[in-house]
């Protein structure tokens, strides 16, 4: 154990800090979940890419910097320290990117990764269906092989950013006779292809980042399939692991929020309860614990270890921390908590609280995660299996 | 920057765990409980295992290891619920003693040390200690909720901050170990106990309780490790990190205890299942070496009153680096 940074790591931190100070927008951008905000965030993605900061852990050949996970953590710390905007392309860079890296062909890597890192192509995920949310093996959307193409029909829903994104990735049933998790394939679809219809869904905060996607005989080349036909479930499970695991929710995000929460408490201390003080300290302490755990996992991965079902512990922890942190902020805001704007600026606590409510639901609900922890880490039996 | 253990540290932990699993099972706890005392044979076996010399300097016959090793071993001692004064004597006292003869006596297991401190109104195992550090104990014995603890009243106690931090750190480690054991006991019970034609562990209600304990425990661990490292290296923030560790471990342990008794059902409310020994040890450790309120105050004074820089770049002391 060595909890000191090397001079090289410190120099890297200084480099990131200087770049962020020079480039991060002075004012917060409008919400990522609306058209105007999404476009502003895409512009920020391209600014990041111009500094070669699009995806620092990717190999240089795909537009990355080939950095290890400790440097990724340092990058993220400086990113959130500077108050940089949320990533418009998080579905691409944190979910699909690692999936292509693990399962894609060289040609697919060259074709999809570089534009992702450069902020040129924005990605949406197309997992859930009306009858396949937490039970993702119940997927019905079909992809029928015709020559070198697949012809896709069906419906996806709760597709984050699909209203604005360029491409989607998802699971489709390529074997019509198959049941459950067999016979599914992982296919990439341009969202402007003929036969694709997007219907935005208004979310809790009133914006339309979500959408339903309807596929009516949409023709895509078979070269858009990641890994083998019928192997989609395993690929998707790996992607879901990335989603719950190390990279999607970087600890710096919660540490930055906890710091803002402490500042909010200092402003409101005269009206705050002792219970609020404890909740503030607890939120800070848990954000720290999450960061420490991420450093621990990063060190394990760098030493050749793998993340398995532990990713589910991670997902439960950050999502419930985020909700508690924002709930505490809402209580400290008092009567002002309900206002959509405070002092002429967007009420970030309200927006953050609403968003935090989705955390325990998406990326596999926390109920599913607790089942995974119980069955795979603790070895408890499945219902009816005994 | 590397937040992981060396191969030697992992082997030490695994070795101590295997040794304690083989020599210090629940049947030993029941026997000690029935006999109401300490067993010199257990102390001798801990000495033979080399635990008394762990952090004693090599010049005085010890291994000269650090607080990371001490914490790894303290977790195992908590997991096995060892009640001999091994933590106070071997994992705390050597850092508070300069006298070479005393250090040498600790290393070979001849000197047992008890610790008196102002935040602890009672001293554990004072009757068999050759030395009470930090104050004086009286002969008056007090009964603890934990039948394996032996507490004595204090006549006088100092407020040595080094003793407090070292002891709070090792108490947090024992709480983590106790939590591991309580989770394991409850999980094993849930696999065996059948109701409605199923092992109760197949039901989500039970699964989710146990998974929540696993989450709390997983995220208490690295907090403990950072505290051990910071204290070992004399960092300015070490006392805050120790308080964080004690709070996280206490909260995880209380959750583990309450969940474990719930999963055991009415059996959990009896003296017949093993669970109660760890549950009662957790209650005792939660209140000792600074209770929840004590450590929360130390933490919030640092965080809220602005004595300490906070934020995403402050997980570790970034101003410090290898030269």
């Amino acid at each position: 154990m060595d909890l000191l940074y090397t001079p090289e790591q410190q120099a890297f931190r200084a480099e990131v800090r200087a770049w962020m100070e020079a480039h991060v927008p002075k004012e917060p951008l409008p919400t990522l979940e609306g058209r105007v905000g999404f476009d502003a965030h895409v512009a920020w993605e391209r600014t990041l890419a111009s500094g070669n900061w699009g995806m620092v852990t990717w190999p240089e050949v795909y537009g990355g910097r080939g950095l290890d996970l400790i440097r990724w953590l340092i990058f993220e710390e400086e990113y959130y320290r500077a108050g940089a905007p949320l990533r418009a392309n998080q579905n691409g860079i944190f979910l699909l990117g690692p999936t292509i890296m693990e399962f894609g062909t060289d040609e697919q890597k060259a074709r999809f990764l570089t534009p992702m890192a450069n902020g040129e192509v924005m990605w949406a995920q197309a997992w859930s269906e009306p009858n396949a949310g937490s039970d993702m093996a119940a997927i019905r959307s079909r992809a029928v092989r015709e020559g070198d193409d697949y012809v896709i029909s069906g419906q996806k829903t709760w597709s984050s950013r699909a209203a604005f994104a360029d491409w989607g990735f998802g699971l489709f049933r390529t074997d019509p006779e198959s049941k459950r998790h067999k016979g599914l394939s992982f296919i990439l679809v341009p969202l402007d292809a003929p036969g694709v219809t997007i219907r935005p869904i208004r979310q809790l905060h009133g914006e339309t980042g979500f959408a339903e996607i309807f596929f009516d005989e949409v023709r895509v080349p078979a070269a858009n399939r990641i890994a083998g036909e019928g192997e989609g479930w395993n690929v998707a499970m790996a992607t879901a692991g990335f989603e719950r695991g190390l990279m999607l929710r970087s600890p710096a995000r919660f540490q930055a929020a906890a710091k803002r929460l402490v500042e909010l408490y200092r402003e409101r201390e005269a009206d705050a309860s002792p219970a609020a003080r404890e909740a503030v300290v607890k939120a800070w302490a848990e954000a720290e614990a999450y960061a420490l755990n991420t450093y621990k996992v990063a060190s394990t991965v760098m030493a050749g270890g793998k993340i398995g079902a532990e990713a589910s512990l991670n997902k439960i922890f950050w999502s419930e921390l985020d909700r508690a942190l924002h709930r505490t902020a809402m209580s400290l805001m008092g009567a002002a908590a309900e206002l959509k704007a405070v002092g002429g600026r967007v009420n970030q606590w309200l927006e953050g609280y609403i968003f935090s409510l989705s955390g325990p639901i998406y990326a596999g609900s926390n109920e599913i995660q607790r089942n995974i922890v119980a069955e795979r880490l603790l070895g408890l039996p499945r219902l009816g299996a005994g | 920057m590397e937040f992981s253990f060396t191969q030697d540290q992992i082997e030490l932990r695994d070795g101590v765990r295997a040794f304690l699993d083989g020599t210090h099972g629940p049947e030993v706890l029941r026997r000690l409980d029935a006999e109401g005392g300490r067993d010199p044979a257990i102390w001798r076996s801990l000495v033979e295992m080399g635990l008394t010399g762990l952090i004693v300097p090599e010049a005085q016959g010890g291994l000269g290891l650090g607080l990371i090793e001490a914490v790894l071993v303290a977790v195992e001692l908590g997991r096995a619920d060892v009640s001999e004064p091994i933590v106070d004597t071997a994992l705390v006292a050597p850092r508070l003693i300069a006298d070479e003869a005393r250090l040498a006596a600790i290393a070979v297991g001849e000197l047992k040390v008890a610790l008196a401190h102002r935040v602890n109104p009672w001293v554990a195992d004072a009757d068999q200690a050759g030395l009470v550090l930090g104050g004086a104990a009286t002969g008056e014995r007090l009964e603890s909720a934990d039948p394996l603890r032996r507490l004595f009243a204090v006549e006088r106690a100092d407020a040595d901050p080094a003793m407090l931090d070292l002891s709070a750190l090792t108490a947090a480690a024992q709480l983590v170990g106790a939590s591991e054991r309580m989770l394991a006991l409850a999980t094993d019970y849930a696999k065996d106990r059948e109701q409605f034609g199923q092992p109760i562990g197949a039901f989500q209600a039970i699964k989710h309780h146990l998974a929540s304990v696993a989450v709390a425990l997983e995220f208490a661990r690295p907090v403990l490790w950072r505290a051990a490292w910071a204290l070992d290296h004399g960092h300015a923030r070490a006392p805050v990190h120790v308080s964080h560790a004690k709070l996280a471990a206490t909260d995880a342990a209380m959750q583990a205890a309450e969940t474990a008794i719930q999963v055991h059902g009415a059996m959990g409310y009896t003296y017949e299942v093993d669970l109660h020994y760890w549950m009662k040890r957790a209650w005792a450790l939660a209140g000792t070496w600074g209770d929840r309120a004590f450590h929360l105050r130390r933490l919030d004074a640092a965080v809220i009153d602005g004595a300490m820089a906070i934020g995403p770049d402050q997980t570790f002391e970034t101003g410090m680096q290898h030269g």
Side-chain angles (χ1 to χ4, degrees):
Chain A
M1 189 168 297
D2 174 7
L3 305 188
L4 296 180
Y5 295 104
T6 63
E8 292 76 20
Q9 287 166 340
Q10 288 286 70
F12 175 71
R13 182 186 292 283
E15 183 190 355
V16 181
R17 186 170 296 186
W19 192 89
M20 291 294 163
E21 276 170 7
H23 292 88
V24 168
K26 298 290 172 254
E27 287 291 311
L29 302 183
T31 173
L32 178 57
E33 306 295 324
R35 177 85 248 178
V36 172
F38 188 82
D39 290 346
H41 281 78
V42 170
W44 165 246
E45 286 283 346
R46 292 183 183 157
T47 304
L48 267 180
S50 74
N52 202 20
W53 299 111
M55 199 54 207
V56 294
T57 58
W58 289 7
E60 290 175 40
V61 63
Y62 304 127
R65 287 175 176 248
L67 300 183
D68 63 34
L69 289 172
I70 298 293
R71 278 180 169 74
W72 170 70
L73 280 164
I74 293 170
F75 171 78
E76 291 286 306
E77 286 169 358
E78 293 302 319
Y79 190 93
Y80 284 99
R81 180 186 182 275
L86 295 176
R87 302 297 297 266
N89 211 12
Q90 50 188 287
N91 289 322
I93 54 188
F94 297 128
L95 304 182
L96 181 60
T99 305
I100 292 177
M101 214 85 76
E102 188 166 334
F103 297 98
T105 63
D106 287 345
E107 193 199 342
Q108 286 172 330
K109 289 176 189 173
R111 184 174 162 211
F112 294 113
L113 292 178
T114 305
M116 213 183 282
N118 289 345
E120 289 161 19
V121 175
M122 297 293 131
W123 286 86
Q125 55 163 300
W127 293 130
S128 301
E129 297 186 1
N131 290 307
S134 289
D135 181 12
M136 218 165 74
I139 279 170
R140 283 191 209 155
S141 291
R142 289 175 298 125
V144 178
R145 187 70 183 252
E146 284 185 13
D148 289 339
D149 294 339
Y150 285 111
V151 178
I152 296 177
S153 299
Q155 181 190 351
K156 295 287 179 180
T157 190
W158 316 130
S159 295
S160 300
R161 254 75 74 181
F164 317 122
D166 305 301
W167 279 67
F169 57 92
L171 280 187
F172 300 92
R173 201 163 285 285
T174 39
D175 176 359
E177 303 300 315
S178 65
K179 292 228 159 58
R180 304 296 299 162
H181 55 273
K182 294 191 174 70
L184 297 168
S185 297
F186 191 108
I187 300 174
L188 314 180
V189 188
L191 295 179
D192 60 357
V196 174
T197 307
I198 308 280
R199 189 185 77 83
I201 300 172
R202 200 165 179 216
Q203 287 165 255
L204 196 55
H205 46 54
E207 303 289 347
T208 54
F210 270 3
E212 289 177 296
I213 310 175
F214 297 91
F215 300 93
D216 181 13
E217 306 213 329
V218 178
R219 189 169 283 272
V220 299
N224 287 12
R225 189 191 67 226
I226 304 294
E229 189 170 281
E231 292 173 13
W233 182 258
N234 290 338
V235 181
M237 286 302 101
T239 306
F242 299 133
E243 187 170 24
R244 290 161 202 157
L246 198 59
M247 300 195 80
L248 181 69
R249 287 288 167 257
S250 80
R253 171 185 174 136
F254 303 111
Q255 290 176 297
K259 184 179 182 178
R260 289 204 314 277
L261 181 66
V262 168
E263 286 160 2
L264 177 67
Y265 179 85
R266 288 177 189 152
E267 287 166 23
R268 306 264 171 165
E269 184 162 11
D271 299 320
S273 68
R277 187 177 175 106
E278 178 170 348
V280 169
V281 176
K282 202 164 164 57
W284 173 83
E286 292 194 345
E288 285 285 294
Y290 183 59
L292 291 166
N293 197 58
T294 309
Y295 270 94
K296 178 192 90 174
V297 175
S299 293
T300 306
V301 171
M302 284 167 67
K306 284 241 166 204
I307 316 175
E310 293 84 0
S312 294
L313 295 168
N314 218 39
K315 198 266 165 168
I316 294 165
F317 192 82
W318 65 248
S319 59
E320 295 180 2
L321 155 64
D322 199 35
R323 188 172 57 184
L325 192 156
H326 284 90
R327 185 200 310 130
T328 303
M330 290 288 278
S331 81
L332 283 170
M333 293 282 287
E338 73 165 310
L339 299 178
K340 292 197 83 169
V342 180
R345 291 179 73 160
V346 171
N347 181 353
Q348 282 189 311
W349 290 118
L350 174 64
E351 213 171 68
Y353 178 61
I354 290 173
F355 183 68
S356 78
L357 296 174
S358 71
I361 301 169
Y362 75 82
S365 72
N366 284 12
E367 287 72 19
I368 298 282
Q369 303 311 319
R370 283 187 161 87
N371 288 349
I372 293 172
V373 168
E375 288 166 15
R376 299 199 208 148
L377 293 180
L378 302 178
L380 289 166
R382 295 175 70 94
L383 193 64
Chain B
M1 169 63 61
E2 197 181 348
F3 200 23
S4 60
F5 300 114
T6 63
Q7 200 53 42
D8 284 350
Q9 287 167 338
I10 291 166
E11 281 169 18
L12 170 70
R13 180 197 65 194
D14 293 349
V16 171
R17 177 176 299 188
F19 164 73
L20 292 171
D21 281 348
T23 60
H24 204 275
E27 67 290 347
V28 172
L29 303 182
R30 294 194 172 279
R31 181 168 59 76
L32 290 173
D33 186 4
E35 293 168 2
R38 295 284 180 256
D39 181 350
I42 294 176
W43 181 258
R44 275 199 303 278
S45 76
L46 297 171
V47 174
E48 280 163 23
M49 184 63 193
L51 298 186
T52 46
L54 206 68
I55 66 170
V56 171
E58 289 179 68
Q60 281 79 49
L63 294 171
L65 298 176
L67 294 182
I68 300 290
E69 287 85 357
V71 154
L72 286 173
V73 169
V75 169
E76 296 310 316
L77 293 167
R79 194 172 164 276
D81 196 26
V82 175
S83 299
E84 295 286 332
I86 183 75
V87 173
D88 291 355
T89 299
L91 305 182
V92 175
R95 290 290 168 117
L96 304 171
I97 291 174
D99 184 298
E100 292 182 3
R102 281 179 169 166
L103 285 168
I106 287 173
V108 295
E110 280 169 9
L111 176 62
K112 291 182 191 172
V113 185
L115 305 174
H117 194 279
R118 202 167 290 162
V119 305
N120 275 1
W122 305 290
V123 178
D125 285 316
D127 60 334
Q128 48 171 335
L131 173 67
V132 179
L133 273 185
T138 70
E140 186 197 347
R141 169 98 189 260
L142 297 124
E143 207 174 342
S144 167
D146 178 348
L148 300 177
R149 255 166 93 77
R150 295 161 46 81
L151 298 176
F152 293 85
V154 172
E155 199 168 273
R156 177 180 67 75
D158 305 333
D160 177 2
M163 182 191 291
L164 177 75
D165 284 329
L166 285 162
S167 295
L169 178 75
T170 48
Q174 292 174 83
L175 281 163
V176 164
S179 303
E180 281 179 11
R181 177 59 70 102
M182 289 187 282
L183 177 58
L185 288 171
T187 302
D188 288 347
Y189 187 81
K191 287 176 190 171
D192 286 345
R193 169 72 174 162
E194 291 194 4
Q195 291 275 269
F196 310 104
Q198 299 275 345
I200 60 169
F203 297 113
Q204 284 201 1
I206 300 291
K207 280 182 175 152
H208 290 190
H209 280 320
L210 294 171
S212 295
V213 174
V215 172
L217 187 51
E218 181 78 358
F219 285 85
R221 274 184 238 274
V223 178
L224 175 68
W225 303 345
R226 175 177 66 171
W229 192 89
L231 198 58
D232 215 14
H233 289 76
H235 278 205
R237 291 186 196 173
V240 180
H241 293 333
V242 168
S243 285
H244 186 183
K246 181 82 191 323
L247 266 180
T250 297
D251 288 351
M254 294 307 284
Q255 187 181 348
E258 289 173 5
T259 301
I261 190 172
Q262 183 69 20
V263 168
H264 276 76
M267 284 305 294
Y269 200 70
T270 70
Y271 223 93
E272 291 172 21
V273 293
D274 298 331
L275 170 68
H276 77 103
Y277 289 112
W278 281 273
M279 193 162 69
K280 290 166 182 172
R281 180 56 52 91
W283 301 342
L285 289 169
T288 193
W289 298 111
D291 63 7
R292 227 181 154 274
F294 177 91
H295 289 290
L296 194 59
R297 273 199 303 277
R298 284 213 317 188
L299 205 56
D300 80 21
V303 171
I304 291 179
D305 299 337
M308 189 176 81
I310 60 171
D313 58 325
Q314 297 291 333
T315 312
F316 304 105
E317 282 157 88
T318 55
M320 303 187 66
Q321 65 178 38
H322 290 285

